[in-house]
Amino acid sequence: MKLSPEKELNFENTEIAFKSKSNAELNAAYLLFKIISSNFLTRVGPPITNFFLNIGLPIKGVIKATIFKQFCGGETISECEHTIEQLDLVKVGTILDYSVEGEEEEGVFDFTCEEIIRTINRGAGDKRIPITVFKVTGIGRFGLLEKLDADKPLSTAEQQEFDRVKSRCEKICSSAFDNQVPVMIDAEETWIQDTIDHLAFEMMRLFNRDGIIVYNTYQMYRHDKLADLIADHERARKEGFILGVKMVRGAYMEKERNRAEEMGYTSPIQPTKQATDDDYDESLRYSVSHINDIAFVCGTHNEHSSRLLTQLLDKQNIDHNHSHVYFAQLLGMSDNLSFNLSDSGYNVAKYVPYGPIKAVMPYLFRRAQENTSIAGQTSRELGLIIKEKKRRKS
């Protein structure tokens, strides 16, 4: 599928970007991003909100009607149905993302594993849910992964614990294979990432021989990840399976730099933003040039990288809806990218986080802080909303 000559991709087209929003929803988004634009509120909001939730003040309704509604699909899979339907109206898929974090108990890990499988089952046979996702720390203890990454010997009990983590991971990926619903394994902190990479590679080795089922995530704000992607592709090619790649810029920069400084080792983060951007764009070029044996998800809110990928596909005469290429953004952010890309025939999906409000709050706080920390992100969102409000009044 190619663009017709008269249909040019335009990320400034707010009519398409906000087609699914009513005037009331547009106004609510405007007010929310105005609040998020206040660094003070973003900084003091999390501890205050947690305090109110912990002492039982009835603020869940306010949260659910504001920040939760903007960035999450609901508290359960069934509550996400409205979001799934709304995204489908603008030809955007849904990535159901069970976003409960920071748990440490085996019973919770088992429940999370089963919940992720429920998202896969929900996506079976439904083209509106083309991909699913999970974090290894959702099904295994962070400290255990950290010990493995540090090459420290495990006790017998710890080895049994890790065997259960691997079993959960394989159970999820096997379900994805059986249902033909691909699953992405999210990247996390560098000091547990090697273990995650090993798991992800083994899952791809098992399940990616006949098509794309498992994706690993490469954070390009790390100076070593472009080289890792190329090396992993070579290994996958030799072993005869498709490499699944989700490329992102990264989500833990401040934490990574602070830890490196405190512990006295070289930071794994790129020296400059430009270096990150360069590696990200090079990962797109490399993946497009090996489109037959790399399937990839371009996870970005960056307009330049999004446009670059569209140009690379056209240059190589690759269909916009090629099954090995997806664009992905977070629900509630960068609709101008998502909806204009989908309108031009590209495969696009939105991450749709869900879960109990209190459990999802860490995710929501990160989204608010991300909008203030990414240069121009909040002002960009506000500017597009204002442009659309003016267009509707004219």
Side-chain angles (χ1 to χ4, degrees):
M1 177 179 180
K2 298 291 190 301
L3 280 176
S4 58
E6 68 274 8
K7 189 167 182 130
E8 293 296 326
L9 181 62
N10 177 16
F11 292 142
E12 301 296 321
N13 189 325
T14 59
E15 182 177 7
I16 291 175
F18 299 109
K19 183 164 58 175
S20 64
K21 287 192 182 299
S22 66
N23 288 338
E25 290 170 329
L26 196 65
N27 288 332
Y30 171 77
L31 290 173
L32 181 61
F33 278 109
K34 284 290 284 185
I35 292 169
I36 289 173
S37 68
S38 167
N39 285 316
F40 173 75
L41 288 175
T42 305
R43 190 169 61 252
V44 303
I48 291 173
T49 304
N50 279 329
F51 175 73
F52 286 163
L53 287 170
N54 289 333
I55 66 174
L57 283 181
I59 65 167
K60 284 187 178 180
V62 175
I63 294 171
K64 193 166 187 176
T66 53
I67 189 170
F68 189 89
K69 184 178 180 181
Q70 179 74 16
F71 297 119
C72 296
E75 294 193 72
T76 63
I77 293 174
S78 61
E79 281 191 15
C80 293
E81 290 298 330
H82 176 72
T83 300
I84 294 169
E85 292 171 3
Q86 291 300 110
L87 289 174
D88 183 59
L89 289 175
V90 287
K91 299 175 285 188
V92 171
T94 290
I95 301 168
L96 289 171
D97 180 13
Y98 183 58
S99 294
V100 174
E101 302 180 1
E103 303 295 341
E104 291 284 296
E105 299 172 9
E106 288 289 296
V108 176
F109 296 146
D110 286 334
F111 177 86
T112 299
C113 175
E114 294 304 319
E115 183 68 16
I116 294 161
I117 290 172
R118 281 189 280 273
T119 68
I120 292 168
N121 291 336
R122 175 61 189 81
D126 190 342
K127 292 181 179 179
R128 300 177 303 171
I129 304 172
I131 313 173
T132 54
V133 65
F134 74 99
K135 281 187 173 183
V136 173
T137 52
I139 58 171
R141 187 167 55 86
F142 190 102
L144 176 67
L145 303 177
E146 188 174 14
K147 192 169 184 179
L148 282 157
D149 253 54
D151 289 325
K152 294 180 179 178
L154 301 183
S155 67
T156 300
E158 287 172 330
Q159 184 58 55
Q160 292 171 344
E161 183 184 0
F162 185 56
D163 288 343
R164 291 193 294 273
V165 176
K166 290 191 290 185
S167 177
R168 293 182 192 114
C169 189
E170 185 168 344
K171 187 176 181 181
I172 290 166
C173 295
S174 179
S175 176
F177 179 83
D178 291 342
N179 287 286
Q180 288 299 291
V181 179
V183 62
M184 299 181 291
I185 300 176
D186 269 345
E188 304 192 50
E189 290 89 343
T190 53
W191 55 98
I192 62 170
Q193 189 60 47
D194 283 352
T195 301
I196 294 170
D197 287 343
H198 292 319
L199 274 173
F201 202 84
E202 179 59 28
M203 294 303 105
M204 287 191 280
R205 182 183 283 121
L206 287 172
F207 298 109
N208 282 9
R209 295 195 176 275
D210 298 320
I212 180 61
I213 293 295
V214 180
Y215 295 83
N216 194 19
T217 303
Y218 296 76
Q219 299 190 103
M220 292 301 164
Y221 72 174
R222 285 182 54 173
H223 56 68
D224 56 346
K225 277 299 159 182
L226 177 59
D228 281 355
L229 188 160
I230 294 169
D232 288 349
H233 168 239
E234 186 61 23
R235 287 175 62 200
R237 188 187 61 78
K238 287 180 179 177
E239 294 187 34
F241 64 87
I242 295 170
L243 184 71
V245 173
K246 182 181 76 169
M247 61 274 289
V248 298
R249 278 170 168 77
Y252 306 95
M253 185 167 67
E254 294 307 320
K255 185 189 289 189
E256 292 282 2
R257 283 179 170 159
N258 289 342
R259 185 177 189 268
E261 186 175 348
E262 289 169 7
M263 298 182 69
Y265 61 85
T266 302
S267 172
I269 304 302
Q270 300 268 20
T272 64
K273 182 182 182 302
Q274 187 61 53
T276 299
D277 291 342
D278 290 345
D279 274 11
Y280 192 96
D281 291 348
E282 187 56 34
S283 75
L284 296 177
R285 294 186 185 94
Y286 186 85
S287 297
V288 169
S289 68
H290 297 91
I291 193 72
N292 291 329
D293 44 24
I294 297 180
F296 63 100
V297 176
C298 172
T300 187
H301 293 208
N302 184 286
E303 293 184 19
H304 168 79
S305 294
S306 298
R307 189 175 298 281
L308 173 64
L309 178 50
T310 68
Q311 294 167 345
L312 291 170
L313 294 174
D314 281 346
K315 185 177 180 180
Q316 296 293 326
N317 202 33
I318 296 169
D319 286 348
H320 290 181
N321 61 348
H322 192 290
S323 62
H324 280 196
V325 184
Y326 256 89
F327 292 82
Q329 289 83 35
L330 299 167
L331 183 69
M333 294 172 62
S334 299
D335 288 349
N336 65 310
L337 299 185
S338 307
F339 299 155
N340 280 296
L341 285 164
S342 68
D343 188 67
S344 294
Y346 297 95
N347 295 325
V348 184
K350 285 279 201 183
Y351 265 69
V352 176
Y354 75 94
I357 287 177
K358 188 174 180 180
V360 175
M361 289 312 294
Y363 170 85
L364 291 173
F365 292 148
R366 278 209 313 280
R367 291 290 74 77
Q369 289 162 351
E370 182 177 279
N371 271 278
T372 57
S373 63
I374 297 175
Q377 181 69 42
T378 301
S379 60
R380 177 69 169 144
E381 298 282 356
L382 277 170
L384 290 165
I385 292 170
I386 291 167
K387 181 180 177 182
E388 175 60 10
K389 281 162 65 76
K390 289 179 178 177
R391 189 197 68 81
R392 292 185 184 186
K393 286 180 180 177
S394 62

